[in-house]
Amino acid sequence: MNNVIQIENNVTAKVKNFFRRTAGFFAPNDDKPVHPFKAIVYKEIADHVRSWRFIILVALIALTCFGTSFTALTGISKAVKTISNDEAFFFLKLFTVSDGNLPAFFVFIGFLGPLLGLGMGFDAINSEHNRGTLSRVLSQPIHRDYLINAKFVAALVVICLMLFVLGFLVMGIGLLAVGIPPSAEEFMRIVFFLLLSFVYVAFWLNLSIFFSVKFRQPATSALSGIAVWLFFTIFYPMIVNVVSRVLEPNMMSSQLYVTSYTWLIKGMGFIMPNQLFSEATTTLLVPTVRSITPLTMEQIMGTIPGPLPLGQSLLIVWPQVTGLFAATILCFVLSYVSFMRREIRSR
Amino acid sequence: MAEHIIELVDLTKKYGDFTAVDRLNLNIRKGEVFGLLGPNGAGKSTTILMMLGLTDPSSGMVRVCGIDSTTKPLEVKRKVGYLPEDVGFYDDRTGLENLLYTASLNGFSRNEAVVKATALLERIGLSDAINKKAGKYSRGMRQRLGLADVLIKNPEIIILDEPTLGIDPKGVREFLDLIVELSKEKGLTVLFSSHHLHQVQQVCDRVGLFISGKLIAEGDIQTLSQKLFSSSPYIIEVGFSDDKQSVNSIETLLKRVEGIVSIQPKNGHFEVSCVRDATSDIARTAVNAGLDLKHLYRKEYGLDEIYSRYFEGGVDHE
Amino acid sequence: MSSRTTHLKLLSLICGIFFLSQFTQAQSDVTLYTPYTSISVPPGESVEYAVDIINNGKEVKNVPVSVSGIPKSWTYTMKSGGYTVTQVSVLPNDRKTLNLRVEIPVQVNKGNYRFRINAGSVGALPLNVNVSKQGTFKTEFTCNQINMQGNSNSTFTFNATLKNRNAEKQLYALVANAPVGWEVIFKANYKQATSVEIEPNLTSEIGIDINPPDNIETGTYVIPVKASTNATSASLDLQVVISGRYEMNVTTPTGLLSSKITAGDTRKIDLVVINTGSSILSDINLSATAPSNWEVSFEPKKIDNIMAGQSAKVVATVKADKRAIPGDYETVFEAKTNEVTSKATFRIFVRTPMIWGWMGILIILFAIGIVYYLFRKYGRR
C-alpha cells in the first residue's frame, strides 16, 4: 500500500515538476538560475519581439493574411450554404480561395515567409560580431554552439508561434463568420500546413543565418539572401521555362526522351524551395489533389474523383517535405560548421 | 611553482603558413598583474583566445587554473573573465540588463544577479548610468562596464585585451587604477595585454614581451632590461657642439674608452653602448681631445628602450 | 340391331309427316313451309325460323297463326314486317314470311322438344328442337390459353372470359386458390378487382396476373381460380409451368465492395458468386475490367457448376500499377455464363507505398544524424 502511494506521489511530483518546468520555460523563476542556453533563447526572443523589423514583418503578414481570409470568406459564404460541410472543406478553402484581387493565404505565406525568415536571420551572427558582443558572450562559460543554436531556436519559436497564431486566428474568423466547426481532418490538414510553412520559413532563416556567418556586413548578408530568394522566385522559373521550351519533346521524340525530359523538369523544380512549398501546401489544403506530377493517361484511367485522406496526402507531399526539411538542415549544418570553425576575434 | 595559475607549454598556433604564436612558454603566478606587451599582430590576442579555449592551438598545451583550456574550455571560462579588445554591448539594452545577461549565462539567478550587478556598477562608478542604454555610454564608461561584466562572474583571473584603447589619458589612469585596486581587493590574477608600454609599466608586476608570435623576454622591468641588455646594459648619448670633427675621428677617439661596445651616430649625436657606466670616462676623453661637449646623457632602461630596441630592431635580434 | 329398327321407325315417321303435309296441301290451298324443321341447338341459344305461308288458291286467305306445344319456360316471338302477328292474310298465289324466334333457356334438359305452328283450319307445321346438351343454371369461365411457361421472375397473365349463363344478373367473387407465396391478381375491365358484376348471358373479360414466388422450383403448378356467387360458380384451372431461372450475383462475403491496395502491390479479394436463380449455372467465366496496367487474375478462373441457391468462392488477385496515384480507382469484376452476366463494381483505394515515406524519414534521420555528429564534434567547445 505504502509503495503504491509512494509511487503515486512520485508520479504526481513528476507531473507537477514537468508542468513547473514547462511553465518555467515561459515564465522564468527569478530565484532560480536559468540554464545559459535558455537565457540566450529568452534574450533572442525578446530581441526579436522588440525589434521594429519583426513587428513590421508580422504586421505585413498579418494584414495580408486577414485580407485574404476576408476575401475568401466573402467568396465562400455564398457557396457554403449550398454545399454540405463534409465535401466542401470549407476551412481549407479559407486558406486557398482567392477572389482574384488578392492571392490566397498560402500563396502569401509562400511569398512573405521567406522574407520573414531572411529578415530574422540575416544579421544573427555578424551583428553580434560587429557590435563586439560575440567574443564577450563566447568568453562566458557556455558552449560555442549555444549561441548559434539558441539563435535558431529563438527564431523558430517566434516563427512557429506567429504562424500558428495567424492560422488559428484565420480559423477563428472563419468559425465566427460561418458557424461550422472544422472537421478533425480539416483541422489536422491546417496544422500540417502550418508546420510545413514553419519548415519553409525555417529554411530561409537558416539560409540567412548561414549568410550572416559568412558575410561580415549585414547588408551583404541581407542582399545575398534576397538574391537567392529572387533567383528562386523569378529567375529560376524563367530558366526552367526556357530549358523546358528548348528541350520540349515533339511528336518524333522517343519515349525515353519524353520520360527523361519530364524527369529533368521535375528535378529542376525539385531544387526550388518555393516550388516544393507551394506543391506541398496545395496538396495538403486541397484534398482532391491526388498527384503533383503530371499524370499519364494510364494513371488517370479508372480513377474515381474524390478527396484523399490526410495520410495519403501527406505521403504524396512527403518528397517535398523531405526536400524542404533536408534543405533546411543542410543550411543549418553549413552555418553551424562555418560558425564553429570560425575564428572568434574581436571586431 | 604550484602557484602558476596560467601555464603555457610550447604553445603554437599556425594559420596556414603563418605562425601566429610560436612555441610559447609562459607561466603566470597567482595574484600577479602580468603585462603582455607587444605590437599589434604579435599574437597576443591569439594567445589569449587559446587560453580561453576559443581557439584551438596547433600544438602545445594551455593550462589555466590547472585545467586544460583545449579540452575543458567551459570550466576555464567559468574562472576567467575576459574583456575583449574593443568590447561591445547590446546597445538597445541598459547597462544593467547587459550585466544581467552575462550573469544569467554564468548561472546566476536573476535576483542574485541584480544585487551583484548593482553593487558592481556602483563600485566602478556607473551607478548613475545604470538604466541608461548601453548605446549611449561613452567609450570610457563602456570600458568600465566591460570591467564590471568581467567581474560579475567572480573570476579568479581576468584577462584584459587592450582595455585602454581609445580612452583619454585621464580615463586611462583612472581605469588602470581601478584594475589595480580591484585585483588587490579580490585577489585576482590579471593578464593585461597592451602595446602601450607606459600603461604596462604603470600597473604590471611582470611583463612578457611578445614579438611575431614569440616571447622575447619576461620578468619585472628591472630584470627584463638587464636580461635584454646584458651585452650592453648602458647607453650614453653624447653630443658635440661643432661638427668640424669627422664622425670617424670621434668614433676612433671614443673607442679608446674602456668598456664601450658600439658607437652609433644618430641625428648629430652618438649613442654609445657600453658594459659599464662610462659617462665620466667619455666626458673626460672628449674634453681631453678638445671637443666641445654639448650634452652627455645616460639613458634609463625603461620599457621605451626595450620596446624600441626590440620592436624596431627585432629583425636584427633573430 | 336396335339402332336399325330406330332408324326405320324414324324414317317411317318422317315419311309419314311428309305424306301428311302433302295431304294437307292437297286438302287446302294454303301451305306452311320452313326449311329446317328439326334443329339441334345447345341450351341458352335462340332459334329463328323463317316460316312461309303460301297461298295457292284463287282467293285471299286469312290464316290465324299460333304456336302450340312449346315448353313453358321457353319464350318465343312471331314477327312479320316488324310486328308481332297472330293472323296473316296472304294474297292468291303469294306467300308471306313469318319470323319465329324461339329462346331456349339455359336450364333445359337434353332431349327433343316438339311444338307446332298452328295455322287454324289450314293446318299446322310441326317443328322439332333437339337440345344437344343438358342445360343448367350455368356460369362459364373459360380461357383459351390455360397453360403458360416462364421463370419464377415472370408474371403470367391469363386472359379469361366469364360468361353469365344465368337468368339473373350475377355478382361474382373472384378467388384463386393459390399455394402460399403465389400472388394472383384479377383484373376486370383492366382494373384490379376482387369481384365482377355481369348481366345475364353477357361476358366479361377477366385478366389474371399470376406471380410465382422467387424461389420456386421448376415444375408445373396448377392454380385453380374460381368465380362464384351464392347460386352458381365456375372454376378454371390455370397451369403455370415454371422453367429454370438463370440469375447470379457477384459480391463479397461481407457485401463490402471496396478495398485498399498499395500501388504496385497485389491484394487478394474474396469474391462470392451466388446462384440466385432457380436452375443450375454452369461454365461461369470470370473476368475483370481494371484500370490500365493493372493485373487481375482469378482463382479458380472458371467455375463449372453452381447449384441453385448455392454459391462459389473465388479469389481475385489484383495487382495495382506501380505508378497508380493514390485515391479511388474503379474495377469491375464480371461473372458470365451463356445465359446470364453479373457485375460487381469495386472501388479500390490506392495507397502510396510507405517505402518512400520511410526513405524520406531515413533521409531526415540521416540529416539529423549529421547535425548530431556535428554537435558532438564541435559542440563541446
Side-chain angles (χ1 to χ4, degrees):
Chain A
M1 267 307 266
N2 276 341
N3 270 345
V4 172
I5 292 166
Q6 222 162 23
I7 287 166
E8 272 176 9
N9 282 343
N10 233 342
V11 169
T12 47
K14 269 182 185 170
V15 169
K16 273 183 188 169
N17 203 11
F18 171 76
F19 280 114
R20 203 173 298 143
R21 273 191 193 175
T22 333
F25 187 84
F26 295 106
N29 188 337
D30 283 352
D31 281 330
K32 279 187 179 166
V34 183
H35 190 272
F37 184 74
K38 275 191 205 164
I40 308 177
V41 172
Y42 292 146
K43 189 238 159 208
E44 291 297 327
I45 291 177
D47 277 357
H48 281 308
V49 175
R50 283 183 194 186
S51 73
W52 276 107
R53 185 199 316 162
F54 177 74
I55 291 167
I56 289 168
L57 277 170
V58 168
L60 189 67
I61 292 172
L63 274 179
T64 48
C65 286
F66 288 130
T68 52
S69 45
F70 274 119
T71 54
L73 266 178
T74 51
I76 297 164
S77 53
K78 290 165 200 157
V80 80
K81 278 158 196 157
T82 54
I83 312 166
S84 76
N85 187 30
D86 289 346
E87 290 158 29
F89 289 106
F90 161 73
F91 272 89
L92 300 183
K93 288 214 167 95
L94 264 181
F95 292 83
T96 53
V97 163
S98 81
D99 65 345
N101 296 327
L102 273 176
F105 186 98
F106 83 97
V107 177
F108 260 116
I109 293 287
F111 186 73
L112 293 175
L115 219 54
L116 179 73
L118 290 175
M120 286 178 78
F122 76 90
D123 62 349
I125 300 298
N126 50 18
S127 77
E128 293 269 357
H129 186 265
N130 291 344
R131 272 183 294 193
T133 45
L134 186 61
S135 50
R136 189 170 64 87
V137 169
L138 288 181
S139 68
Q140 305 308 327
I142 55 165
H143 293 300
R144 188 197 277 202
D145 58 349
Y146 273 17
L147 185 71
I148 192 160
N149 291 352
K151 275 182 183 286
F152 278 124
V153 169
L156 293 183
V157 164
V158 170
I159 290 168
C160 188
L161 277 177
M162 195 206 82
L163 282 173
F164 272 84
V165 163
L166 269 181
F168 280 78
L169 271 178
V170 170
M171 272 201 275
I173 289 170
L175 199 61
L176 278 180
V178 180
I180 310 168
S183 65
E185 163 105 13
E186 278 180 297
F187 182 76
M188 285 316 289
R189 275 178 186 275
I190 290 166
V191 167
F192 274 106
F193 159 69
L194 293 174
L195 281 177
L196 191 71
S197 313
F198 169 65
V199 174
Y200 181 55
V201 177
F203 165 76
W204 291 102
L205 175 80
N206 284 358
L207 187 72
S208 68
I209 289 183
F210 173 63
F211 284 137
S212 85
V213 176
K214 274 284 158 199
F215 300 115
R216 287 286 151 90
Q217 294 304 317
T220 316
S221 150
L223 274 175
S224 322
I226 288 173
V228 172
W229 176 54
L230 282 179
F231 174 74
F232 278 128
T233 42
I234 298 174
F235 298 111
Y236 192 74
M238 276 162 63
I239 294 169
V240 173
N241 213 354
V242 167
V243 170
S244 65
R245 215 175 290 163
V246 168
L247 296 177
E248 193 169 27
N250 52 25
M251 299 291 282
M252 305 294 284
S253 310
S254 66
Q255 187 61 43
L256 182 73
Y257 181 81
V258 175
T259 11
S260 42
Y261 170 80
T262 42
W263 274 104
L264 175 73
I265 300 303
K266 198 176 162 183
M268 284 179 84
F270 207 77
I271 59 166
M272 281 164 74
N274 43 339
Q275 176 83 19
L276 295 181
F277 175 72
S278 68
E279 282 174 356
T281 44
T282 326
T283 312
L284 277 180
L285 290 178
V286 184
T288 45
V289 169
R290 289 171 64 167
S291 175
I292 291 166
T293 48
L295 294 171
T296 57
M297 273 314 289
E298 288 97 51
Q299 285 172 305
I300 295 166
M301 259 182 64
T303 53
I304 306 167
L308 286 183
L310 176 60
Q312 288 301 310
S313 288
L314 273 179
L315 269 178
I316 290 179
V317 301
W318 200 242
Q320 274 73 9
V321 173
T322 311
L324 262 185
F325 203 89
T328 309
I329 295 222
L330 179 75
C331 284
F332 175 77
V333 163
L334 284 177
S335 38
Y336 185 85
V337 169
S338 58
F339 177 71
M340 294 307 279
R341 297 177 66 162
R342 178 177 170 162
E343 283 296 319
I344 304 302
R345 302 218 145 250
S346 42
R347 249 182 252 217
Chain B
M1 292 310 260
E3 298 260 345
H4 285 162
I5 200 159
I6 298 176
E7 293 172 77
L8 308 181
V9 181
D10 281 336
L11 191 66
T12 306
K13 178 72 187 176
K14 287 183 178 171
Y15 294 107
D17 288 339
F18 173 68
T19 310
V21 178
D22 192 4
R23 294 189 301 278
L24 179 62
N25 287 290
L26 177 66
N27 293 316
I28 295 169
R29 283 192 290 272
K30 190 171 167 64
E32 72 177 341
V33 178
F34 191 87
L36 211 52
L37 187 64
N40 291 329
K44 288 173 293 176
S45 294
T46 310
T47 309
I48 289 169
L49 290 174
M50 284 192 284
M51 286 178 195
L52 287 164
L54 289 175
T55 301
D56 285 344
S58 306
S59 66
M61 197 190 65
V62 189
R63 276 176 169 276
V64 177
C65 306
I67 303 158
D68 192 330
S69 301
T70 316
T71 52
K72 290 174 178 172
L74 222 60
E75 287 171 41
V76 171
K77 286 196 272 189
R78 203 162 282 140
K79 294 185 172 173
V80 179
Y82 169 54
L83 180 64
E85 185 183 348
D86 197 7
V87 67
F89 291 94
Y90 296 109
D91 290 346
D92 48 349
R93 303 295 183 100
T94 64
L96 179 66
E97 280 173 337
N98 270 294
L99 285 193
L100 292 181
Y101 181 48
T102 308
S104 70
L105 294 184
N106 282 286
F108 291 106
S109 79
R110 194 181 158 80
N111 291 346
E112 248 181 301
V114 170
V115 174
K116 255 182 110 53
T118 321
L120 261 175
L121 283 167
E122 209 162 309
R123 177 67 188 82
I124 61 166
L126 281 177
S127 44
D128 294 340
I130 202 162
N131 286 322
K132 207 167 151 186
K133 290 261 164 75
K136 300 206 169 133
Y137 277 31
S138 72
R139 182 86 209 174
M141 288 162 85
R142 214 173 250 262
Q143 252 4 70
R144 285 164 189 226
L145 186 62
L147 200 56
D149 185 68
V150 163
L151 291 172
I152 200 158
K153 64 163 88 161
N154 296 333
E156 291 178 24
I157 305 167
I158 59 174
I159 299 176
L160 311 172
D161 195 357
E162 305 275 7
T164 54
L165 216 62
I167 318 180
D168 60 80
K170 184 169 168 277
V172 169
R173 188 168 313 124
E174 282 172 9
F175 186 72
L176 292 176
D177 289 346
L178 191 63
I179 292 171
V180 175
E181 275 173 43
L182 286 169
S183 68
K184 295 280 180 299
E185 243 172 61
K186 300 181 194 278
L188 298 172
T189 309
V190 179
L191 183 64
F192 183 100
S193 131
S194 178
H195 60 269
H196 272 274
L197 58 141
H198 289 294
Q199 294 164 12
V200 176
Q201 207 167 4
Q202 196 178 330
V203 293
C204 293
D205 302 331
R206 289 203 308 144
V207 176
L209 195 58
F210 235 81
I211 294 163
S212 313
K214 280 184 179 164
L215 186 71
I216 302 295
E218 64 159 302
D220 56 43
I221 291 160
Q222 202 72 39
T223 50
L224 194 66
S225 53
Q226 275 176 4
K227 206 171 174 182
L228 287 172
F229 300 94
S230 54
S231 57
S232 49
Y234 298 95
I235 291 174
I236 300 158
E237 257 181 39
V238 192
F240 301 100
S241 57
D242 57 89
D243 45 354
K244 55 193 173 188
Q245 295 290 333
S246 71
V247 175
N248 280 343
S249 62
I250 291 169
E251 276 185 22
T252 43
L253 181 74
L254 289 178
K255 271 201 176 147
R256 286 178 207 153
V257 180
E258 193 192 333
I260 288 179
V261 178
S262 67
I263 303 163
Q264 283 184 330
K266 220 177 202 179
N267 304 333
H269 64 260
F270 294 88
E271 265 188 19
V272 181
S273 314
C274 33
V275 287
R276 60 178 188 96
D277 190 352
T279 323
S280 50
D281 287 348
I282 288 168
R284 202 177 302 125
T285 313
V287 170
N288 289 346
L291 293 167
D292 293 341
L293 196 63
K294 199 170 84 186
H295 84 262
L296 182 70
Y297 171 61
R298 198 193 77 191
K299 274 189 162 181
E300 287 296 330
Y301 305 116
L303 276 169
D304 262 330
E305 305 307 312
I306 301 165
Y307 204 65
S308 55
R309 201 165 164 141
Y310 280 92
F311 295 179
E312 287 152 17
V315 186
D316 299 343
H317 215 80
E318 294 272 337
Chain C
M1 252 249 296
S2 72
S3 83
R4 175 164 283 191
T5 48
T6 334
H7 274 274
L8 279 174
K9 270 183 190 168
L10 204 62
L11 191 68
S12 62
L13 187 76
I14 289 167
C15 285
I17 290 168
F18 183 70
F19 173 76
L20 200 70
S21 68
Q22 290 299 314
F23 173 76
T24 318
Q25 203 174 13
Q27 213 174 34
S28 75
D29 301 333
V30 177
T31 319
L32 293 177
Y33 171 75
T34 190
Y36 316 110
T37 51
S38 183
I39 293 172
S40 180
V41 288
E45 289 288 304
S46 53
V47 184
E48 293 207 27
Y49 296 94
V51 182
D52 286 347
I53 303 168
I54 307 157
N55 183 6
N56 290 325
K58 300 282 197 264
E59 59 212 68
V60 173
K61 296 276 184 192
N62 276 321
V63 183
V65 283
S66 64
V67 177
S68 64
I70 202 156
K72 250 187 195 166
S73 58
W74 298 28
T75 55
Y76 69 92
T77 52
M78 191 142 49
K79 286 188 175 178
S80 183
Y83 305 105
T84 304
V85 290
T86 53
Q87 186 165 352
V88 183
S89 193
V90 190
L91 291 169
N93 284 326
D94 200 3
R95 65 174 65 187
K96 207 81 200 162
T97 306
L98 286 175
N99 285 314
L100 175 68
R101 184 187 167 85
V102 178
E103 303 270 351
I104 302 154
V106 179
Q107 194 177 33
V108 68
N109 288 329
K110 189 178 171 182
N112 279 320
Y113 294 88
R114 288 155 197 270
F115 61 92
R116 304 190 307 156
I117 302 169
N118 299 314
S121 58
V122 177
L125 180 64
L127 292 171
N128 183 27
V129 170
N130 178 21
V131 174
S132 57
K133 286 190 279 184
Q134 177 70 34
T136 46
F137 267 133
K138 189 170 140 183
T139 301
E140 281 179 13
F141 201 9
T142 54
C143 180
N144 45 10
Q145 181 62 54
I146 61 157
N147 180 292
M148 277 196 183
Q149 187 178 24
N151 63 40
S152 63
N153 272 7
S154 32
T155 299
F156 300 87
T157 303
F158 294 89
N159 291 314
T161 311
L162 183 64
K163 183 167 187 180
N164 180 9
R165 282 204 190 276
N166 295 303
E168 292 94 33
K169 185 168 84 177
Q170 299 287 343
L171 181 66
Y172 294 99
L174 302 169
V175 180
N177 188 16
V180 179
W182 291 69
E183 193 184 23
V184 182
I185 292 166
F186 294 98
K187 281 180 177 169
N189 300 319
Y190 310 106
K191 281 170 193 143
Q192 201 170 327
T194 55
S195 65
V196 60
E197 196 177 56
I198 307 176
E199 296 289 328
N201 238 5
L202 286 183
T203 58
S204 179
E205 298 292 330
I206 306 289
I208 304 163
D209 288 350
I210 296 180
N211 214 346
D214 283 344
N215 52 355
I216 190 136
E217 283 178 31
T218 51
T220 305
Y221 296 85
V222 177
I223 313 292
V225 290
K226 195 172 173 188
S228 61
T229 68
N230 43 15
T232 170
S233 73
S235 64
L236 187 62
D237 284 345
L238 297 173
Q239 274 187 337
V240 173
V241 180
I242 301 291
S243 59
R245 188 166 46 91
Y246 297 102
E247 252 183 29
M248 68 179 161
N249 191 11
V250 178
T251 179
T252 56
T254 53
L256 195 70
L257 290 178
S258 65
S259 184
K260 285 178 178 175
I261 193 166
T262 306
D265 242 359
T266 53
R267 188 175 182 93
K268 286 185 171 14
I269 296 171
D270 288 328
L271 294 176
V272 180
V273 182
I274 307 168
N275 184 350
T276 48
S278 54
S279 53
I280 187 167
L281 290 170
S282 45
D283 290 346
I284 301 155
N285 280 306
L286 292 154
S287 62
T289 315
S292 54
N293 295 333
W294 288 45
E295 288 162 27
V296 182
S297 61
F298 295 97
E299 182 57 43
K301 281 178 189 160
K302 196 172 174 183
I303 305 166
D304 291 336
N305 288 306
I306 304 176
M307 302 304 286
Q310 299 292 303
S311 60
K313 278 185 184 164
V314 180
V315 178
T317 309
V318 178
K319 184 174 191 298
D321 185 9
K322 251 198 304 203
R323 286 156 65 231
I325 55 172
D328 285 326
Y329 273 91
E330 196 181 68
T331 299
V332 180
F333 296 111
E334 191 181 85
K336 198 172 183 181
T337 66
N338 288 331
E339 295 88 4
V340 69
T341 315
S342 175
K343 285 181 183 174
T345 304
F346 244 70
R347 188 178 260 258
I348 298 184
F349 184 83
V350 173
R351 286 182 295 212
T352 318
M354 277 304 283
I355 174 90
W356 296 111
W358 290 117
M359 285 290 283
I361 287 169
L362 269 181
I363 291 170
I364 289 173
L365 284 180
F366 179 69
I368 291 172
I370 289 175
V371 171
Y372 179 74
Y373 166 75
L374 289 171
F375 276 22
R376 289 299 297 268
K377 187 179 175 195
Y378 292 107
R380 299 305 105 194
R381 283 200 182 194

